[in-house]
Structure formats: C-alpha cells, structure tokens
Amino acid sequence: PRGPLLATILVPVATLVALLTWGISSPVGSSPDDDYHMASIWCSAGEAEGICEATADPDERLLPGDLLRAAKCYAFIEDQSASCPLPEGQMLPTDRGNWSHASYPPVFYSAMTPFVTHDVSVSVVLMRSANALLYVGILTALFFLLPRPQRPLLLWGAVISAVPLGMFLIPSVNPSSWAVLSATGLWVAAWGYFRQTGVRKWLLAGLSAVLLVLGAGSRSDAAVYGVIALLAAAVLSFRRDRRYALDLILPAVLGIVAVVFFFNAGQCAIVSGETALE
C-alpha cells in the first residue's frame, strides 16, 4: 500500500529536517557545557597550530577565542543576541577540557575531530549535522530490522526521549547526543536480536554492539544504562531452551565492554547519584 510506504519514507526525512533545523539555527555554544565539549573535540587529536596548542601549564591549552567565548557573550543575558562580537583570530587559554584528568570516554570527541576546521561555526554545523544523520540513519535501519510488533515501541521511545531536550541535544556537539541515541535504540535492538532469526538477527546483534559503543563511548553513565538495557532485553526474551542460553553470549560480552568503558573514564557520577546531561 502506498500509505505505509510513503510514511516510512517521509517520517525519517521529516525527522532529519527537524533535527537539522535545530542544529543549524542554534548558535555556537548553546548546548550545556559546550565550551568544555568543543575544547575537548578540538584537542582530541593532539596539538595543532591554530586549533589546539600547548602552554607552559600542562592542564591548559590554547584554543580559538571565538570557540571559548561563543556562549559567554549572550548566556544569561536576555537582551543580548548570539550575534555579539567574538575574539576571532586569537588563541586564548583554558583549563576546561578532557585532556588532563579525563572525565569522559574519548570515542565521541575523537569521532568529531575530522570535522574540525579553522572556521568554528562551519565545524560545529558539520558535527551537528553528522550526529543528526547518525541518529536518523541508525534508528531507521533498526526499524526495518525489528519484528513488526516491536516497531511501535521504537517509535514511541524515540518520540518520548527526543521531546523536548533530546531535539536540542541530538544535533549537538554534546556527548549526550550519542547517549540519547543509545538509550533510545539499544534495549529494543537487543530485544529484537533475541526474537529474530537468520540475517536480521545478526544485523541486530551488530547494531546492538554499535549502539552500546556509541553510548559507552560518549558518557560513562550511558555505559551503565547500556547494561540495564541489555538486562531488560534478556528478561523480556526469557525462554527455557538452549538457543536462549546461546543468545545470552552477546549481551554478556557487550556488558563486559560497557564495564571496561565505565571504569576507564573519570565521569562516574552515576555512582553518587549526581548524573546530569552535561
């Protein structure tokens, strides 16, 4: 039927347009702690002239002034637009970044590094667009791989987790972009893996692994949520047979990967209950 076919095409396209609209219209530095996250991305590949330079202080780096001051000129000033002048062409020092006492896993920052250019605004738009495409692409693939009864769960989960803050974070340079994607898709991908057979089963296994790495590689607390998602999928799929026992190998391995990510980063606020989308 044309109706369902048209919907399967229009929904991903409309979602991508909505996310790109947020990503392009939001000023640089507007998401939580963007100065920290942008500095971490710019320095993820090491020192580079005009991008990330060392200082005499090992805890400080020199970064483009318009990157560091992007939000400071308008944040909490209701009558100031984001078009305020910035110190372009200057390199300024900062100690806010993931280079000394690493709080966040490095995967997200490293993945964003290829989009870094000498134009901060262009770089940020490229990163935001890439994360919007990643979100829509993975969830669209997951939708078609899932058994039909599970597809509405994915759609409702995506809508509930995206509105309102998720729409802002997904097309951003904040690691929480990947954390939201992982939280939205991992549990249902792993559940689908237990339910499907043949090629789709193994594609869902691969997608589950990708979603786990995206989450655990962006935030340590997302690694914990990933383990919870895998446990939920295993419980929902419980059966008393040998195939189920063999299927448990995948979530067990992914759980170990999540634990390794968690303990290799300093952002373990989940333990003390102080976790926030920073």
Side-chain angles (χ1 to χ4, degrees):
R2 288 188 176 183
L5 178 61
L6 188 62
T8 58
I9 297 172
L10 289 181
V11 170
V13 171
T15 303
L16 180 60
V17 170
L19 291 173
L20 289 175
T21 300
W22 276 90
I24 294 172
S25 63
S26 302
V28 174
S30 56
S31 64
D33 289 320
D34 256 6
D35 64 321
Y36 180 96
H37 299 307
M38 290 190 295
S40 301
I41 292 169
W42 259 247
C43 291
S44 180
E47 299 173 19
E49 186 177 355
I51 293 176
C52 176
E53 300 176 5
T55 69
D57 185 344
D59 291 332
E60 282 190 347
R61 297 290 187 274
L62 289 175
L63 288 151
D66 50 341
L67 182 152
L68 297 180
R69 306 296 186 201
K72 287 182 169 56
C73 70
Y74 66 84
F76 306 109
I77 307 174
E78 60 183 17
D79 58 349
Q80 173 63 61
S81 74
S83 62
C84 46
L86 296 173
E88 297 182 14
Q90 299 180 32
M91 298 293 285
L92 301 177
T94 182
D95 59 358
R96 280 178 54 76
N98 207 50
W99 47 76
S100 53
H101 307 289
S103 297
Y104 287 76
V107 179
F108 176 85
Y109 297 134
S110 297
M112 295 296 104
T113 298
F115 301 107
V116 172
T117 71
H118 288 280
D119 188 315
V120 172
S121 296
V122 170
S123 302
V124 169
V125 168
L126 288 173
M127 293 172 200
R128 291 174 175 177
S129 301
N131 286 329
L133 282 166
L134 182 69
Y135 179 87
V136 173
I138 287 182
L139 293 191
T140 300
L142 179 54
F143 178 86
F144 287 107
L145 290 174
L146 287 171
R148 287 185 180 274
Q150 290 178 271
R151 292 176 181 178
L153 296 174
L154 174 65
L155 294 177
W156 280 109
V159 171
I160 292 170
S161 60
V163 179
L165 183 59
M167 288 292 293
F168 186 54
L169 290 174
I170 292 163
S172 75
V173 297
N174 192 309
S176 295
S177 169
W178 285 11
V180 172
L181 171 57
S182 179
T184 301
L186 178 56
W187 74 277
V188 72
W191 190 15
Y193 155 78
F194 279 102
R195 297 281 301 277
Q196 284 285 37
T197 58
V199 174
R200 290 194 177 191
K201 180 183 185 68
W202 296 111
L203 289 174
L204 284 167
L207 207 50
S208 298
V210 169
L211 286 163
L212 186 281
V213 171
L214 287 175
S218 60
R219 293 179 59 101
S220 291
D221 50 358
V224 177
Y225 303 146
V227 172
I228 295 172
L230 294 169
L231 287 172
V235 170
L236 289 170
S237 307
F238 178 74
R239 302 186 310 272
R240 296 175 181 270
D241 57 36
R242 183 171 178 270
R243 178 188 163 190
Y244 175 76
L246 291 174
D247 285 347
L248 285 175
I249 295 174
L250 174 70
V253 171
L254 294 182
I256 293 171
V257 172
V259 170
V260 171
F261 270 105
F262 180 79
F263 284 108
N264 277 277
Q267 191 213 22
C268 299
I270 186 68
V271 175
S272 60
E274 297 173 359
T275 303
L277 283 175
E278 297 177 347

